[in-house]
Amino acid sequence: MVDESTVSGNSIDTSARVSGRSLHKGTGGWSESSDDWYAKVLMQQYILTYMSCYTDTNPNHALNYEVEYIIGGRASDKDNLKIVIAEILALRAAANMAYLAGSASKQAQAMALAAIIGGITLTPEVIEGVEKGILAAWAFCESVLDLRALLDGDKIPLIKSDMSWTSSLYGMTSMLTGQVKAKSSNEGIGYKSYLGMLLFTKSMKNIAYRSMDVQEATVRMTGAHESFRMDNAICELSADVSYKYHGIFLCFVNLLDGADNEYTIKNKAKYSYYGR
């Protein structure tokens, strides 16, 4: 699947990570984040934009595969990549099996081979069972080729078509042992999109704490910050935000200044955290 000589050997100390230790409590205000889908999507987009992964590494980070760590939670890049590969393989196998279930031509090929293999018994039930096994093996083979393409930076369709299907029934063995990969498609989705799907299955708590794990580990690599702890940090954020709104029903609100039916709302927010 992946040339192990090219896989990152980076790891972090799991005994001291944020998600695994007793944390100090700060003095700043804090509200528990919601676990609704919108908050999770925003967090997911932040992670996929700013954190490294197999197809987009950063040599200045403690882990090369930070997104995979947030999904897998293991100490090493290699172990987290294995977890992600297994989960994507399961997703692709299900999608490819769904395509085969709706393809009359592919089912006919599988039935013809099943009749050759199980035909000696002359039992329809046996032949049908062999056919299902052939279809499952075919879906798995195509999924391996899909993974090779995704890890190589290509895109593949979420659900295959006759045009985008790559593997052949009688060439599965050579394809699995070789380096053949699935056909790339501009209309498909890439490796990062699959990471996003996997992130969405994780709880907001796990996502947040594991994100802090990798951020803290990276800070500890810089300068004289070997003993940096996120829960001992002093943080402060102040933001001034202006919103513009067009409408005719809010002129009575005294926070609004109107001009040509356009209104501006000004708001200020401040958050402070002092670890102790």
Side-chain angles (χ1 to χ4, degrees):
M1 190 76 66
V2 178
D3 182 357
E4 292 206 12
S5 65
T6 66
V7 175
S8 168
N10 289 12
S11 63
I12 60 174
D13 181 5
T14 57
S15 65
R17 59 185 172 180
V18 178
S19 61
R21 67 173 185 253
S22 177
L23 301 175
H24 294 162
K25 304 297 182 181
T27 59
W30 178 262
S31 60
E32 290 293 329
S33 62
S34 63
D35 209 20
D36 62 272
W37 69 270
Y38 184 66
K40 188 173 287 189
V41 167
L42 293 178
M43 186 66 173
Q44 173 202 95
Q45 290 305 305
Y46 172 84
I47 290 170
L48 294 176
T49 301
Y50 294 105
M51 295 190 180
S52 60
C53 66
Y54 179 81
T55 57
D56 186 15
T57 61
N58 190 322
N60 298 319
H61 290 189
L63 289 176
N64 279 327
Y65 312 152
E66 293 174 315
V67 184
E68 287 87 346
Y69 169 79
I70 295 170
I71 295 169
R74 302 293 177 87
S76 71
D77 277 335
K78 183 180 293 187
D79 287 343
N80 289 315
L81 183 60
K82 287 180 179 178
I83 290 172
V84 166
I85 284 176
E87 294 191 13
I88 295 178
L89 186 63
L91 291 176
R92 289 307 313 157
N96 288 332
M97 195 65 188
Y99 159 75
L100 289 175
S103 173
S105 62
K106 295 291 191 297
Q107 288 188 52
Q109 292 180 53
M111 178 57 77
L113 180 58
I116 295 173
I117 296 173
I120 193 171
T121 66
L122 299 178
T123 307
E125 291 80 7
V126 172
I127 295 175
E128 184 179 352
V130 172
E131 180 204 12
K132 292 185 183 302
I134 291 171
L135 290 173
W138 201 356
F140 176 80
C141 175
E142 185 75 11
S143 302
V144 171
L145 307 192
D146 291 342
L147 263 171
R148 288 175 182 165
L150 291 170
L151 294 170
D152 205 32
D154 295 337
K155 295 180 179 180
I156 57 171
L158 189 61
I159 299 295
K160 294 291 185 79
S161 66
D162 290 344
M163 291 295 294
S164 58
W165 190 266
T166 303
S167 59
S168 62
L169 182 58
Y170 294 96
M172 287 193 290
T173 302
S174 61
M175 287 185 169
L176 288 173
T177 56
Q179 296 300 317
V180 180
K181 64 179 183 179
K183 299 175 184 175
S184 182
S185 170
N186 292 331
E187 288 73 38
I189 61 176
Y191 179 72
K192 275 194 173 183
S193 296
Y194 279 93
L195 292 182
M197 293 181 197
L198 298 181
L199 281 172
F200 204 75
T201 66
K202 310 302 177 183
S203 70
M204 278 292 285
K205 181 177 181 179
N206 274 344
I207 291 173
Y209 274 85
R210 289 176 182 175
S211 296
M212 289 189 285
D213 289 344
V214 295
Q215 290 169 332
E216 183 181 83
T218 295
V219 172
R220 287 179 175 177
M221 294 170 55
T222 61
H225 301 103
E226 295 87 353
S227 59
F228 172 76
R229 293 170 63 104
M230 293 194 77
D231 51 325
N232 284 349
I234 300 175
C235 306
E236 186 168 291
L237 172 68
S238 179
D240 293 310
V241 184
S242 295
Y243 308 88
K244 286 189 176 181
Y245 178 84
H246 290 271
I248 61 175
F249 301 110
L250 296 178
C251 58
F252 59 89
V253 180
N254 58 13
L255 292 178
L256 301 177
D257 299 319
D260 298 327
N261 206 33
E262 182 176 275
Y263 303 94
T264 301
I265 302 176
K266 296 181 179 179
N267 194 16
K268 179 180 289 187
K270 184 177 181 180
Y271 171 79
S272 299
Y273 174 92
Y274 302 94
R276 62 181 181 182

